[in-house]
Amino acid sequence: MNKKVRGIFAPIATAFDASGEVDYSTFAENTVAFGATKLSGLVVLGSNGEFTLLSHEEKVKLVETARNHLPAEKMVIAGTGCESFRETLQLTKECAAVGADVALVVTPNYYKKDMNEAALGNFYTMLADASPIPVMIYNMPGNSGVNVPSSLTLKLAAHPNITGIKDSGGNIVQISEVLAKAPEGFSVFAGSGSYLLATLLLGGVGGTLAVANVVPDYCAEIQENFEKGDIEKARKMQLALLPLNAAVTSRFGIGGMKAAMDMVGFKGGLPRLPILPAGEETKKEIARILKELGIPTV
């Protein structure tokens, strides 16, 4: 069942209309536009897709919409992590039924004190046993407050239906520990554009990057240059990307990322409340950063 996952993926933004309803037609337009880039596919229902603000039904429909509008050779990864095992498995099965290739599963996190290594190990193992599609671990301690230690990742990597990990923790030592001992075929992804090249150099095979919603081809070309041996060009591109990556993540969040998408010709639009859109000063700063990177705006 294992499916090798590699390359650069955008955690596609969810489009909303002015009333806060999901705008499936605009989402489909973005999917088509991303399908024409160098991306290997899309992560639907990622952190940058505002997945925690979506209903179960909205989640499944978004995955179905993405699959229907993305070229067949490009992969759809669905973020199916929920607080309970039961709902996670149900959502995983439903997303698989509408075309998801892989399930990206964040740690349950409301009951943080109970999410020890034994609980998380059991959660992922039971899910992988029952899931009709391969499972990718999603380590996002910045948002979840729960870290998946390298020791647990390596235990789970032995499962035939656990295909990899997207690590958004930014701890390159922890990522290195996984890469040092993971079995062949286990995909380790950078979870941020800030350490994409570092992850690739250590043996990672791709990334799911918020900044790929804004500059998808640029991100893919970092990996292209690395793979063809032009490390110096990849290094320069990686370093130049840092200000934009920070702007659409830690500095200005979802609102900033969506504003940046609007500036480069994708359709970011409004976040869903309680998240607020970017203000005018933020937009000016993002425009300045894009200009500095040489990215044309519309």
Side-chain angles (χ1 to χ4, degrees):
M1 290 179 72
N2 213 337
K3 182 173 285 194
K4 180 69 173 177
V5 189
R6 63 179 301 117
I8 303 301
F9 289 72
I12 184 172
T14 300
F16 300 101
D17 64 23
S19 67
E21 293 297 315
V22 176
D23 184 341
Y24 294 101
S25 61
T26 296
F27 178 82
E29 286 181 48
N30 278 336
T31 300
V32 170
F34 283 128
T37 70
K38 295 180 178 183
L39 292 176
S40 294
L42 295 173
V43 171
V44 186
L45 316 178
S47 296
N48 292 282
E50 299 171 72
F51 79 98
T52 59
L53 309 182
L54 299 167
S55 72
H56 187 101
E57 293 73 23
E58 287 171 335
K59 290 176 180 180
V60 176
K61 189 171 178 181
L62 283 163
V63 171
E64 183 176 28
T65 303
R67 181 67 281 167
N68 289 342
H69 290 85
L70 198 66
E73 70 275 11
K74 303 219 174 194
M75 192 175 282
V76 172
I77 300 176
T80 62
C82 303
E83 283 299 312
S84 75
F85 169 76
R86 186 186 185 95
E87 188 179 1
T88 301
L89 179 58
Q90 182 64 30
L91 182 59
T92 299
K93 287 180 175 179
E94 290 183 35
C95 287
V98 296
D101 298 291
V102 174
L104 178 66
V105 181
V106 73
T107 52
N109 56 75
Y110 183 79
Y111 296 105
K112 289 177 180 56
K113 291 178 182 177
D114 290 315
M115 291 304 106
N116 53 37
E117 197 163 326
L120 292 173
N122 187 58
F123 172 78
Y124 282 110
T125 300
M126 287 181 63
L127 180 65
D129 285 345
S131 173
I133 52 176
V135 172
M136 196 170 194
I137 302 161
Y138 182 15
N139 189 38
M140 183 47 156
N143 283 0
S144 71
V146 174
N147 179 56
V148 180
S150 57
S151 55
L152 176 56
T153 301
L154 289 168
K155 288 175 190 172
L156 293 170
H159 195 292
N161 202 33
I162 295 182
T163 194
I165 183 169
K166 176 198 172 188
D167 198 318
S168 297
N171 182 339
I172 202 68
V173 175
Q174 181 168 298
I175 293 170
S176 302
E177 289 168 349
V178 171
L179 285 164
K181 296 182 179 179
E184 188 176 351
F186 185 77
S187 300
V188 177
F189 267 36
S192 169
S194 56
Y195 49 90
L196 172 61
L197 182 57
T199 301
L200 295 173
L201 282 162
L202 290 162
V205 294
T208 299
L209 320 172
V211 72
N213 273 304
V214 184
V215 285
D217 285 338
Y218 186 103
C219 294
E221 285 163 13
I222 293 176
Q223 183 159 357
E224 277 182 8
N225 284 307
F226 165 75
E227 289 180 348
K228 70 183 183 184
D230 195 344
I231 305 300
E232 183 57 20
K233 186 170 183 182
R235 185 186 73 86
K236 286 179 178 175
M237 291 182 74
Q238 170 71 85
L239 294 176
L241 184 63
L242 293 176
L244 180 61
N245 184 79
V248 301
T249 55
S250 57
R251 288 187 70 188
F252 306 126
I254 302 285
M257 184 193 75
K258 286 189 157 183
M261 289 175 68
D262 288 332
M263 291 177 196
V264 299
F266 297 114
K267 295 184 177 180
L270 298 168
R272 180 172 264 182
L273 293 172
I275 299 175
L276 296 175
E280 289 308 311
E281 288 306 310
T282 293
K283 291 178 181 177
K284 287 178 185 175
E285 174 66 1
I286 293 170
R288 182 193 67 76
I289 292 168
L290 286 166
K291 184 177 180 182
E292 197 172 81
L293 189 58
I295 303 301
T297 54
V298 295

